[in-house]
Amino acid sequence: MTAVDWQHLPGLAPYAETLAAMEARAAAIAEGRAAEAVWLLEHPPLYTAGTSARREDLTDPDRFPVFEAGRGGQYTYHGPGQRVAYCMLNLNERGRDVRKFVCALENWVIATLAEFNVKGERRTGRVGVWVVRPDKPANPDGSPREDKIAAIGVKLRRWVSFHGISINVEPDLSHFGGIVPCGIRDHGVTSLVDLGLPVTMADVDAALARTFPRFFP
């Protein structure tokens, strides 16, 4: 297996053009014409709709552009201050196990957050990675408040993945207000900076690179 090609896309990557380039790269990987790739980028403010998105969860449709993403999941937000990592990996060579692959992505995010002493956790029935917020008032049922810090959404074509993960580093959290993120109404969103950590995008990129080989050797 050839080395994974890591690229940093400068500036704010336009969504439609980036999606087209990502799909083209995935096709080239499936045909043996290109190496696997991870693209690190930020998008301008926008909402994306996954294949399970419900129209009623787009609560402010005129706020930002809305794109049909083609990935699994529901509505999500992308914007400046959020690290997006698009992963084009060949599951023909890594094992054709979708559940195992998604679990590896989740574990990669959790390990990356742990680099900053943040405990990210999975929750049954809730996609993404969550953090417990003991600093916030408890839920009405007495359970601790939990906020989402990272999203995961992937698509496979010819057993090559595209789309990937996003981690909230320092986005404008009010921008999530135009959607019900991932269809979940009872919990909020957070970021590394919102948790009180002076983490930069470069810090997160370094942590992603350090932890990646543990889960995608």
Side-chain angles (χ1 to χ4, degrees):
M1 197 180 302
T2 57
V4 177
D5 176 23
W6 284 68
Q7 295 185 32
H8 182 275
L9 278 60
L12 298 179
Y15 189 80
E17 292 88 337
T18 305
L19 178 61
M22 179 169 50
E23 291 184 341
R25 180 61 177 258
I29 293 168
E31 294 164 6
R33 297 185 289 107
E36 297 178 304
V38 174
W39 292 352
L40 302 176
L41 58 117
E42 295 171 79
H43 284 304
L46 56 91
Y47 299 128
T48 66
T51 53
S52 302
R54 298 175 298 187
R55 184 65 183 178
E56 62 269 24
D57 289 341
L58 182 62
T59 58
D60 190 356
D62 299 322
R63 188 169 187 178
F64 297 124
V66 181
F67 294 91
E68 299 291 334
R71 54 159 175 78
Q74 301 186 39
Y75 283 106
T76 193
Y77 165 78
H78 292 312
Q82 182 190 71
R83 172 51 80 220
V84 173
Y86 285 141
C87 303
M88 290 142 277
L89 300 177
N90 190 351
L91 272 64
N92 289 294
E93 299 181 4
R94 294 180 176 275
R96 295 184 176 187
D97 189 328
V98 177
R99 185 172 296 178
K100 181 179 178 182
F101 175 63
V102 172
C103 183
L105 288 173
E106 291 174 336
N107 285 336
W108 179 32
V109 171
I110 290 169
T112 298
L113 294 173
E115 295 279 300
F116 307 103
N117 295 314
V118 173
K119 185 179 181 182
E121 298 178 300
R122 297 183 183 88
R123 287 294 180 264
T124 302
R126 286 193 254 141
V127 179
V129 177
W130 300 78
V131 293
V132 178
R133 300 299 305 271
D135 56 315
K136 291 189 174 183
N139 294 317
D141 63 359
S143 61
R145 171 79 175 270
E146 296 176 342
D147 288 344
K148 188 173 188 176
I149 195 168
I152 296 169
V154 295
K155 186 176 177 68
L156 298 177
R157 187 174 294 156
R158 296 172 64 185
W159 288 103
V160 175
S161 69
F162 52 106
H163 296 285
I165 66 170
S166 61
I167 298 175
N168 295 334
V169 182
E170 193 179 7
D172 185 336
L173 295 178
S174 72
H175 288 180
F176 286 87
I179 57 171
V180 178
C182 299
I184 297 166
R185 298 179 181 273
D186 300 331
H187 300 276
V189 290
T190 190
S191 68
L192 288 166
V193 171
D194 182 53
L195 293 173
L197 301 169
V199 177
T200 68
M201 201 68 75
D203 295 332
V204 172
D205 291 347
L208 286 166
R210 277 195 303 271
T211 55
F212 182 84
R214 297 185 209 168
F215 309 103
F216 303 100

